Amino acid sequence: MPRETMTIAQKVESIRILSPDGTVDKKLEPKLPDEDLLGLYKTMLSSRLFDERCFMLQRQGRIGTYGPTKGQEAASLGFAYCINNNDWFVPAFRETAAMLYRGWPMSTIMLWWGGHEIGATPPKGLNDLPICVPVSSQCQLAMGISWAQKLKKTKDVTLVFVGDGGTSEGDFHEAMNFAGVYKLPLVQVIQNNQWAISIPRHAQTASPTIAQKAIAYGFDAFQVDGNDILACIVAGQEAVKKAREGGGPTIIEAITYRLGVHTTADDPKKYRKDEEVKEWEPKDPLIRFKAYLEKKKLLTDAVETKLREEIRLKLDEATAVAEGYRASKTEFFEYVYAEMTPELRKQKAELEEYLAHGAKPSHANELSRV
Amino acid sequence: MPRETMTIAQKVESIRILSPDGTVDKKLEPKLPDEDLLGLYKTMLSSRLFDERCFMLQRQGRIGTYGPTKGQEAASLGFAYCINNNDWFVPAFRETAAMLYRGWPMSTIMLWWGGHEIGATPPKGLNDLPICVPVSSQCQLAMGISWAQKLKKTKDVTLVFVGDGGTSEGDFHEAMNFAGVYKLPLVQVIQNNQWAISIPRHAQTASPTIAQKAIAYGFDAFQVDGNDILACIVAGQEAVKKAREGGGPTIIEAITYRLGVHTTADDPKKYRKDEEVKEWEPKDPLIRFKAYLEKKKLLTDAVETKLREEIRLKLDEATAVAEGYRASKTEFFEYVYAEMTPELRKQKAELEEYLAHGAKPSHANELSRV
Amino acid sequence: MPQMTMVQAINLAMKEAMREDPNVVVLGQDVGQDEGVFRVTEGLLKEFGPDRCIDTPLAEAAIAGGTIGMALAGMKPICEMQFDGFSYQSLHQIEGHARRFRNRTRGRLSVPMVMRFPYGGGIRAIEHHSEAPEATYAHWAGLKVVLPSSPRNARALLRAAILDPDPVIYMEPKAIYRAFREEVPEAPETMPIGKARIARAGKDMTIISYAASLRAALEAAETLEDEHRIDAEVIDLLSVSPLDSDTINASVRKTGRAVIVHEAPRHCSVSGEIVARIVEESLLYLEAPIKRVTGFDTAIPFFANELTYIPDAGRVVKAALETARF
Amino acid sequence: MPQMTMVQAINLAMKEAMREDPNVVVLGQDVGQDEGVFRVTEGLLKEFGPDRCIDTPLAEAAIAGGTIGMALAGMKPICEMQFDGFSYQSLHQIEGHARRFRNRTRGRLSVPMVMRFPYGGGIRAIEHHSEAPEATYAHWAGLKVVLPSSPRNARALLRAAILDPDPVIYMEPKAIYRAFREEVPEAPETMPIGKARIARAGKDMTIISYAASLRAALEAAETLEDEHRIDAEVIDLLSVSPLDSDTINASVRKTGRAVIVHEAPRHCSVSGEIVARIVEESLLYLEAPIKRVTGFDTAIPFFANELTYIPDAGRVVKAALETARF
Ligand SMILES: Cc1ncc(C[n+]2csc(CCOP(=O)(O)OP(=O)(O)O)c2C)c(N)n1
Ligand SMILES: Cc1ncc(C[n+]2csc(CCOP(=O)(O)OP(=O)(O)O)c2C)c(N)n1
Ligand SMILES: [Mg+2]
Ligand SMILES: [Mg+2]
């Protein structure tokens, strides 16, 4: 004062390490063990092929609507790589690659898209929440989980995902503000895939970057090339380290692109040009990472073929497990509370009587027939 | 990219024109007509004395809980001065000075605090919403109103208020984001009075200024000395002009201080030090503006005495009007819908029968006895 | 008279209103370029442009609150929640503001808005896309809560909702969005909100239902007639707030027996209210307990099992027979 | 045994739980330094420090969502909404997450949290501070909804809520926060959630109520006895989800007559549900229509007129006499 332009203390850094043709910035390149690099590639490929399989299952009526993650594999996997099993992992719904890396069985994820609660049941031993549908609501849960981590004086962190569209929700704002106030060990990744169904990024918010929203909460942010898994890993590791050491939360905007449909129920031709997709196709995170690994002599066509074959077998197996799943028709009464109430017992009996007395099952509840 | 600190395009400017002792920054001083300056002072004084009157009425049990605005008169009035009757005015609940300036009868505001719906009824001819209790929810309404103004291609603007605490709510975020996306003619003032009941400003958000939250929404902001009415007016006029000309929204953080209690139900001794209040007392917006007007020879002790007497008479009159108000006991059935439903007619009859048949009125509903 | 689906009928009602009144605008996620995830807003952007058919960012409370603001400022906005399950994100704006303004300003301000959304289960959708929240809205005075059951009444009721001076929550049973076609008159028509319809006249028992469940009720009535010689009257409520007590009670006084069918969970639902209204007015006419065939007091199961939860004709028949044989 | 008010009893229950289990934390607006706007959290910050009694920023959905997250991560959090009317800001987190996790993860994850808030009218508070939203929560399976009526049961029920493995919404009738004192045992005690209490035994009629309305019910029962020789049984529900049908029906089967009293609006409320449960189980025992003495289907009036809206003993007596003389 009296009248001056103020300086803003928070900072936003941008990072890219691997360019689309697989050239690496040597100064920024993280030193990762070879087996990790190959493992990451295998997970990305698994995710891509899982997408294709589910797409087909959906088209054949064997699962319900499916939301592919094609093109965004690096932008979830790179961050999941930075945390361990004690840390919490909170996905939105386009983090298949990260979920596979965390250890979710393919069959479980298939069962979620197949309309079964067992698909929302995290595997034992993982501190993971399941897929979350109400956009951005998971940010509040993750904030609370990281709060518990801090209150319990663990050294654990929470990694949570949201889309570009999700940043418009009140839940995102409130969660970020709390994270800032309590300096929570929270890493908030925003998968900015340029679209929220038909709403393009520029119509979602007037802020030129999403990363800069962190300034509103008093902490720093990264904007990374989300199709560059090395950039995701570097930013993720720095944010996780900061969180673990008590330095508080970080927002990471990962710039990526949804190469496919929003879900199998969507027709992107209604709202976006093919040219735009064509432009992004060469920036595919798999192409880029593959080129990098090839230059490093870690990947050859022979290895790729072998990997694909391994994954195909796993997908066949997962499909069989998922389609073999038989859900009880009435078990949904059993998990409303730890103990069934008298009213629920009555209602369950009512239904059982109906189902027993020759009432034709009104539909198939097996994965293979829905 | 590859790794760099990004520059932020949005800017936050700070403004102070009148220092606490009434010295003016000549370069920044707005040229306001003398009668306007005196009118503003009279409104500030009216608001201050209204506060004192209501405080007394509350202590005597003649109205309910009352929320004083002492110390914050400039931070609402300065902005209300910048708009006209066609513009919309959307208060939170600490904008008494602005409401008086807009033309709300003192008796109406008293009746709101006295527990009567008539107190929430805007005077005819004003585009005003009444006091809003759910913190920050009014920001969404104001956003919608300014959206209507833009869609209808008017040149009108909307002025809306919220507290520092209110900026933590999801509603604030969503409204600001929409305002940015649609470039709405909205001026969002944040009365940062350092407290949200017992929560100090620094515990409300980790962001060093509230003004910088505008960066998250892609537009510019001001941080003004909210106890300096000239600074409020200058920032307000620039923001209103920008809005009117299609330049979109502005956030204005007005730094002020709640010199009194949160409400008459509150005991600030539980959470803040007397010294802090003592520090802020000399920064009182009335002291400062009075000194300025005295230096300009617009105000003398004689004028002040006359003004106070005029206001006292108006307060007496308003108190009499408010205490003379008699509400119908059953009219609350009549405004649920434009037309009463059959069920409501039945319920109303039920109540009327009860009230008619000697049922002792269960309480007094006159202002003077509540 | 053209034949159309409910989706087309709703679309038509919006177009008619938008042509007549420039203050009518439509807003929501993906309602413009994408024409709505169910194509309910097809053609609106094209015909009325982006100032009348507005794509919004992803924030339900802002869509609702912004809509309320527009209505306060003299417009006639129609907002869409993309699914029933996300309308919860905006409840505080509807509860706290939309329903209150007329009363708290003694009629000075009002909120003539419509909030519409796809409602209920049965389309194999993922979590949170199959909710039946009508009781939540109906409990809050100041709102009207409308649930059409066919293309023709969907169009007439949406017109009524748009013309209504108060906020209307309009729930579109998505399971029958395209399930059948119906003749719809050329000229715009309207229907009073709060008036139920006798969907099938009968004398032995009253089956009360609404929205997609009406089909199970009607199918059950056929079975009852064909297989059990029970002549059931079926009432289609169309609105659960206001609730048409008169039509319900007139029927129950005639039949002495009632079954209520809806897919929302049972506890503190619309069916409880209906039972209370019948007991208050017509207790002495009752010849059997009133049965409720509803969603159970659980979350609706994920879709593989959702039809076990949603009442079907078989469950209605079973309850009706128990009622008849009481 | 010490005498205490409900505020003190609730405070005691929290202290007891916090002493026993380090995972129990309390969070909300002004719960720490200020000790709560009603002083319900008095002494907690002092005894347990800022990591156990946490002042939060002003954002209800974050308080609720953060609490759910803490519970998922193994803690036992108790969050406070400052008033009933602001709990609406957090409904989507409660509906969408708190109530669903056990079911959607087939028991793998659960949400052992308590949300507590001051409930109802009668204290001359401004708009949005006098809401009675129990039906909204009760409609959502997976939640338990508890409303105490006296210091002793407030303490026992809050303890039960904290120990409960599922989310409990605990509503504190603020009109009786300090209205009377009651003896409370030295040792912590608990009560089963979902079990109603016979507050007054009687044989001629059943009055069903809960929370602050129970006082109107009991006062009415005295008048009925003294002035009309009607011996009313008064049931205090204590929980509206689960709802204790057995106790209600046992009483109505004995008395044949029932009046239900609550301050929430009537349409699609708890009283409708109670009528339905009685009709389902005990229709043939009913000798008169069941009367509902409730808040009206309007917003609760601003406070100058709120007592006209909230049921008082006179309205209960009137309804009871109509029921008795039917
Ligand atoms: C609260 C809420 N509103 C609306 C939806 C419907 N919906 C599902 S995904 C989506 C777009 C999300 O966009 P973004 O956050 O960018 O994630 P993306 O789909 O691009 O991964 C919408 C509107 C939802 N699931 N939740
Ligand atoms: C949504 C909501 N939550 C809580 C409250 C209770 N409450 C009233 S004022 C207030 C503090 C508001 O702080 P701030 O926004 O800074 O405004 P100030 O009171 O300082 O003017 C609170 C918590 C409320 N009115 N609305
Ligand atoms: Mg996106
Ligand atoms: Mg403040």
Side-chain angles (χ1 to χ4, degrees), chain A residues 50-328:
Chain A
F50 180 86
D51 251 22
E52 289 172 9
R53 175 65 59 102
C54 286
F55 216 89
M56 186 199 76
L57 291 175
Q58 190 281 331
R59 290 297 185 235
Q60 296 173 347
R62 293 157 74 183
I63 60 171
T65 304
Y66 177 72
T69 63
K70 184 177 176 190
Q72 301 181 221
E73 291 86 352
S76 73
L77 178 60
F79 304 104
Y81 175 76
C82 304
I83 60 169
N84 54 46
N85 276 7
N86 278 337
D87 296 319
W88 275 82
F89 168 81
V90 181
F93 43 83
R94 239 184 264 288
E95 285 75 30
T96 309
M99 287 175 80
L100 293 174
Y101 188 80
R102 287 289 285 177
W104 284 71
M106 283 176 169
S107 58
T108 302
I109 308 176
M110 275 179 189
L111 281 161
W112 192 90
W113 295 104
H116 287 282
E117 283 84 354
I118 200 72
T121 303
K124 278 197 186 129
L126 279 186
N127 281 334
D128 288 22
L129 292 192
I131 288 175
C132 179
V133 170
V135 166
S136 214
S137 63
Q138 75 278 9
C139 300
Q140 303 268 34
L141 307 183
M143 177 273 285
I145 291 171
S146 70
W147 206 350
Q149 289 168 324
K150 174 150 185 178
L151 291 172
K152 288 180 155 187
K153 303 197 172 24
T154 70
K155 288 273 168 233
D156 304 328
V157 308
T158 299
L159 172 65
V160 57
F161 290 84
V162 77
D164 47 322
T167 63
S168 298
E169 288 278 0
D171 274 342
F172 172 79
H173 172 74
E174 296 187 5
M176 292 304 99
N177 190 51
F178 271 53
V181 166
Y182 299 108
K183 275 200 152 198
L184 301 181
L186 185 66
V187 179
Q188 173 70 64
V189 175
I190 295 149
Q191 284 210 54
N192 172 4
N193 65 359
Q194 314 306 326
W195 292 91
I197 310 188
S198 73
I199 309 300
R201 159 64 188 82
H202 68 82
Q204 191 64 243
T205 176
S207 110
T209 72
I210 291 182
Q212 76 189 63
K213 290 180 188 282
I215 292 171
Y217 312 110
F219 51 83
D220 296 344
F222 289 108
Q223 186 186 59
V224 301
D225 182 334
N227 288 0
D228 166 4
I229 193 162
L230 299 184
C232 295
I233 290 173
V234 166
Q237 283 178 335
E238 289 189 23
V240 166
K241 181 163 183 285
K242 178 176 105 179
R244 243 188 250 301
E245 290 171 354
T250 305
I251 281 178
I252 306 177
E253 177 188 7
I255 309 261
T256 179
Y257 193 77
R258 194 191 79 210
L259 285 173
V261 292
H262 171 71
T263 66
T264 48
D266 174 50
D267 174 14
K269 292 216 187 320
K270 291 200 69 105
Y271 54 80
R272 73 178 184 189
K273 297 226 168 69
D274 271 352
E275 294 92 84
E276 186 184 291
V277 185
K278 289 267 166 307
E279 234 175 73
W280 277 89
E281 272 168 358
K283 303 186 200 160
D284 186 323
L286 266 84
I287 298 178
R288 186 181 311 198
F289 195 40
K290 191 177 171 190
Y292 172 71
L293 295 181
E294 283 170 350
K295 281 184 198 153
K296 275 184 106 76
K297 307 261 183 291
L298 288 172
L299 194 61
T300 59
D301 282 352
V303 174
E304 168 99 10
T305 309
K306 200 176 124 270
L307 285 180
R308 285 183 177 260
E309 183 53 24
E310 265 175 55
I311 295 167
R312 200 184 55 76
L313 286 174
K314 281 181 109 183
L315 279 164
D316 290 346
E317 205 183 297
T319 310
V321 169
E323 297 203 320
Y325 177 74
R326 291 292 171 275
S328 140

Side-chain angles (χ1 to χ4, degrees), chain B residues 63 112-117 133 165 169 197-198 204 270 329 332 344 347 350 353-354 362-363 365 370, chain D residues 30 33-35 39 57-58 60 124 127 266 296-298 301-305 307-308 312 314-315 318:
Chain B
I63 59 171
W112 192 91
W113 295 103
H116 287 280
E117 284 83 354
V133 171
E169 287 279 359
I197 309 187
S198 73
Q204 192 64 243
K270 291 201 68 108
K329 269 195 176 324
F332 64 85
L344 282 173
Q347 293 186 7
E350 189 184 312
E353 195 195 308
Y354 173 57
S362 28
H363 74 309
N365 77 337
V370 294
Chain D
D30 308 294
Q33 196 65 45
D34 199 35
E35 305 188 306
R39 305 289 177 258
L58 215 175
E60 286 75 14
R124 295 166 36 98
E127 289 182 90
R266 190 176 298 170
F296 300 103
D297 288 322
T298 70
F302 283 22
F303 71 78
N305 205 18
L307 296 186
T308 310
D312 60 8
R315 274 177 66 202
K318 178 168 177 288

